[in-house]
Amino acid sequence: MAECGRKALSLLEAARSRYESLQISDDVFGESGDDSSDNPFYSTSGDSDSDNYIAEVAGGGGSGRIGAGPPGSLSRSQAEEEGWTETLQDVTVPPFKETYGPAQKMPVTATALDFFQLFVPDNCIQNMVTQTNMYAKKFQERFGSDEGWRPVTAQEMKAFLGFVTSTSVHRCESVLSIWSSGFFSNRSIALKMSQARFEKILKYFHIVAFRPSQGSNQGLYKIQPFLDSLQQSFSYTFRPSQTQVLHEPLIDEDPVFITTCTERELRKRKKRKFSLWVRQCTSTGFICQISVHLKEGTDALATLKNKPQLHSLVAKQLCQNISGKNSIIFTGPSITSLSLFTEFSKQDIYCCGLLSTRKSDCTGLPLNMLVCGSTPAQRGQSRVMMKGSMSLISWYNKGHFRFLTNSYSPTKQGIIIKRKSGEIPCPLAVEAFAAHLSYICKYDDKYSKYFIFHKPNKTWQQVFWLSISIAINNAYILYKMSDAYTVKRYSRAQFGERLVRELLDLDDCSPTQ
C-alpha cells in the first residue's frame, strides 16, 4: 500500500513539474523533452524526419535535388517567378489604433459576483429560470407529473450555478460529492440547498427549452443564445492589446488530475464532441472571442485537424471584429498559411505563425525553405526569404522551426534566453512568438484553477460549463485590473471562493428543501 502511495505521489509531482515548465520560450524550441500536449504551441522539438522533406543529393553531379514536398509548395524557379527572394527589406507595422484594458470602470466596492455578472447578468439567469421551468412543464406533460418538482426561482438558479462552480474551487470530481460524507464533502455550502432539490434542478436545467424553427447553428441551438450574449459581453467589457493569439485552450481536466486517474477511469470518460477556439489577449490572458464547432462522427477530430479550410474559417470568424486596427495575431501550425495571412493583411491585421509541413497549408511557399538540408545546421542559424512584406523564416534549435510573418522585420535580430544554454540568436519574429506565447502557457496554468469538474453527458451542457469557466477567469482578470483589487487583493483561489459564497448568498444559510 505504501509503495502504491509513493508511486502515485511521484506521478503527481512529475506531472506538476512538467505542467509548471510549460513555457513557450522553453518548450517550443526544444529544451524540455517529449511533447506535453496536442496543443501546437506546446511542441517541444523541431519537425521530425517524418514531418520534414529531406534534401537528397543526386548521383554524379553532386547538385542538390529536392523531392515532391508538401502539397502546393513551389520549386525554386516557381518561387522566384512568384516573387520570393533572399533580398531582405525592413518591415514596419503601423501603430495600434486602440487603447487596451477594461472598457468600463468598476467601483472600488465591486464584489466577485459583480464582475461575474458583467458576463452572466441577472436577465441571463432569469432566462435560465424561465426556460428550465418551461422544459420541466413540457417534460411532465409528456412523461407524467413529478410530484417532487416545483418551479425554480432566480435565487435557486444562482445557487445552482454556485454549487457547480464550487467544483472548480474544491476540485471534486462530482458536484454531488458536496452532500456526501467523504473527502470532497462541503457542509458549509451543502446547507444552502438539499441534494434532492439540486438534482431536480439539474434534471430540468435548460438555456433553450425548445428547438427553434430556424437557425444557423441547429446543433448548438440549446446553448447558442447564451454564447451570443457571452460574446457580446466580452466585447463590451474589455479591449484587447495589439498582440493576440488564436488557439485551442486547454479545456480538459487539469493534467495533474488526469495523471492520477486509473486507466479504467480514463476509458470511462467520453470524448468531447466539440472543439473550441479562442482569440486571446497575450498581455492579460483575457479571452476576447470564442468559436465552438461540433465534431461529426467518431473519428472527426483527426479529420478536422487536417482541414486547413476549416481552421482558416475559424480564424476569420475570430478576427472579424478587429479589422482596421493594426492588430498582430499569433497562430499555430493548423492556422498558419500564406493565403490567410495575405487576406488578413488587406484588413490591417498582421500575423506571425508557426509552420509545420504536416499540419500547415504550405501552398505558395518555397520548397527549399521547407526542407532539411544535407549539411547539419548550427544552433541559432536561420534562413529567410521574402515576398513583399511577408517573411518565411527557417530557424534551427535542436530541430528546424519555420515561421511565416508580416508583423516583424526580418532584418532585426532577437535572442532566446535559455537557463542552461544561455543566449541563442534568432530573428525578431521568433523572439516575439516565444515571448507572447509564453504568457498563454502561463495563463493555461492559471485558467485551470477555474475548471468546472462537473462533466455532463450532453454536449450543450459541456459547452455551457466550459464557457462559465472562461467567464469566471475573465471576471478575475477584470478584477485584477480594477480599483477593487487594491482594497481586498483576492488571490485567484480566494476570488473563486468569494464568487461561490456570493452566488449561494451565504449570509443567509437557511436550507431549502
Side-chain angles (χ1 to χ4, degrees):
M1 181 66 71
E3 183 179 351
C4 291
R6 285 194 297 271
K7 183 177 180 180
L9 183 60
S10 63
L11 286 173
L12 182 65
E13 290 175 346
R16 183 176 289 112
S17 175
R18 186 169 62 252
Y19 195 46
E20 289 174 350
S21 70
L22 285 181
Q23 298 183 24
I24 288 301
S25 57
D26 290 340
D27 286 335
V28 160
F29 302 133
E31 290 288 332
S32 303
D34 296 334
D35 286 353
S36 299
S37 86
D38 291 333
N39 190 316
F41 300 136
Y42 292 163
S43 174
T44 58
S45 63
D47 292 338
S48 64
D49 287 346
S50 62
D51 190 27
N52 264 303
Y53 293 86
I54 311 299
E56 300 175 354
V57 178
S63 59
R65 175 176 63 85
I66 298 175
S73 57
L74 306 176
S75 66
R76 180 178 291 274
S77 59
Q78 290 174 326
E80 291 176 352
E81 291 176 1
E82 291 290 327
W84 287 98
T85 177
E86 294 181 351
T87 302
L88 306 183
Q89 60 182 7
D90 195 27
V91 171
T92 302
V93 174
F96 189 46
K97 295 183 179 180
E98 296 282 328
T99 56
Y100 90 90
Q104 63 186 81
K105 187 176 178 64
M106 295 292 285
V108 71
T109 56
T111 65
L113 182 58
D114 291 332
F115 285 96
F116 175 70
Q117 292 210 283
L118 290 174
F119 310 114
V120 188
D122 282 333
N123 65 335
C124 185
I125 293 175
Q126 184 58 51
N127 178 71
M128 297 177 196
V129 171
T130 302
Q131 296 296 320
T132 297
N133 289 333
M134 287 174 58
Y135 181 79
K137 181 180 179 181
K138 192 70 175 180
F139 184 93
Q140 292 173 47
E141 287 176 356
R142 182 173 181 181
F143 297 105
S145 63
D146 184 347
E147 295 183 359
W149 170 255
R150 68 174 183 275
V152 66
T153 66
Q155 184 179 3
E156 285 182 314
M157 185 59 70
K158 278 188 179 180
F160 174 78
L161 295 176
F163 279 120
V164 181
T165 298
S166 72
T167 65
S168 68
V169 178
H170 300 290
R171 286 296 192 271
C172 56
E173 173 61 5
S174 169
V175 65
L176 299 182
S177 300
I178 293 171
W179 293 273
S180 72
S181 58
F183 179 79
F184 291 110
S185 65
N186 192 336
R187 300 305 299 172
S188 65
I189 66 175
L191 294 174
K192 193 62 182 178
M193 181 185 292
S194 69
Q195 180 177 346
R197 179 57 176 165
F198 176 85
E199 291 189 55
K200 287 296 182 183
I201 299 175
L202 183 63
K203 177 180 178 180
Y204 297 118
F205 175 68
H206 266 72
I207 306 296
V208 175
F210 307 113
R211 183 184 295 272
S213 58
Q214 59 183 2
S216 59
N217 199 345
Q218 289 292 317
L220 289 172
Y221 76 92
K222 283 182 177 289
I223 189 69
Q224 196 61 55
F226 177 77
L227 294 179
D228 293 341
S229 171
L230 197 65
Q231 185 57 67
Q232 287 184 352
S233 64
F234 288 170
S235 301
Y236 293 156
T237 57
F238 184 81
R239 292 183 291 264
S241 63
Q242 182 177 27
T243 53
Q244 300 161 49
V245 61
L246 309 183
H247 73 121
E248 289 183 279
L250 294 175
I251 61 176
D252 291 318
E253 292 92 339
D254 187 334
V256 172
F257 182 85
I258 281 292
T259 304
T260 61
C261 287
T262 64
E263 290 186 12
R264 182 180 179 184
E265 288 174 327
L266 289 173
R267 284 196 301 269
K268 287 170 62 178
R269 296 174 185 273
K270 293 186 178 181
K271 293 184 177 180
R272 288 183 290 104
K273 295 181 180 179
F274 67 94
S275 59
L276 179 119
W277 293 78
V278 302
R279 175 168 56 83
Q280 188 172 8
C281 172
T282 66
S283 298
T284 61
F286 190 97
I287 287 182
C288 311
Q289 192 163 344
I290 59 179
S291 179
V292 181
H293 290 269
L294 296 180
K295 299 173 184 176
E296 303 169 355
T298 56
D299 60 345
L301 179 59
T303 304
L304 293 180
K305 283 190 174 181
N306 291 323
K307 285 186 175 179
Q309 65 273 23
L310 172 66
H311 296 138
S312 177
L313 176 62
V314 169
K316 293 174 185 177
Q317 290 176 345
L318 290 173
C319 294
Q320 59 186 346
N321 296 328
I322 62 173
S323 60
K325 298 180 180 180
N326 300 327
S327 299
I328 297 175
I329 300 298
F330 295 94
T331 64
S334 60
I335 292 180
T336 302
S337 73
L338 178 62
S339 59
L340 178 65
F341 284 13
T342 301
E343 184 174 344
F344 274 166
S345 66
K346 297 176 182 177
Q347 305 172 33
D348 295 329
I349 300 174
Y350 298 86
C351 305
C352 181
L354 185 64
L355 271 169
S356 164
T357 51
R358 282 188 300 112
K359 297 180 181 179
S360 303
D361 178 4
C362 295
T363 301
L365 300 179
L367 176 57
N368 66 305
M369 292 292 291
L370 305 177
V371 300
C372 292
S374 56
T375 304
Q378 294 181 352
R379 198 170 192 187
Q381 182 177 345
S382 62
R383 293 186 298 147
V384 184
M385 290 191 72
M386 291 193 73
K387 178 181 179 182
S389 61
M390 196 73 66
S391 301
L392 176 57
I393 300 168
S394 177
W395 178 72
Y396 184 82
N397 179 36
K398 292 187 177 180
H400 289 275
F401 294 87
R402 297 174 179 87
F403 297 83
L404 188 66
T405 182
N406 61 354
S407 53
Y408 295 94
S409 177
T411 62
K412 296 182 179 179
Q413 293 297 304
I415 57 170
I416 300 293
I417 300 176
K418 299 293 184 179
R419 289 187 296 270
K420 297 179 181 179
S421 310
E423 298 180 355
I424 303 171
C426 65
L428 181 61
V430 177
E431 180 186 14
F433 186 93
H436 289 287
L437 271 296
S438 66
Y439 185 88
I440 298 304
C441 285
K442 293 175 183 177
Y443 166 87
D444 279 337
D445 184 29
K446 296 174 181 177
Y447 163 66
S448 70
K449 301 296 190 297
Y450 291 139
F451 278 146
I452 288 177
F453 277 73
H454 174 58
K455 301 296 178 185
N457 291 326
K458 295 179 180 179
T459 297
W460 74 264
Q461 291 187 9
Q462 294 173 11
V463 175
F464 174 77
W465 294 116
L466 172 61
S467 61
I468 289 291
S469 299
I470 292 174
I472 296 172
N473 203 74
N474 277 355
Y476 181 70
I477 291 171
L478 292 183
Y479 165 71
K480 284 287 293 283
M481 301 178 74
S482 74
D483 292 338
Y485 180 71
T486 63
V487 178
K488 295 292 186 179
R489 304 188 74 85
Y490 289 137
S491 67
R492 192 169 286 266
Q494 289 172 328
F495 183 86
E497 289 272 11
R498 287 302 311 168
L499 177 60
V500 170
R501 293 186 65 84
E502 290 166 19
L503 284 168
L504 290 168
D505 191 18
L506 281 178
D507 292 336
D508 174 19
C509 289
S510 57
T512 58
Q513 300 300 318

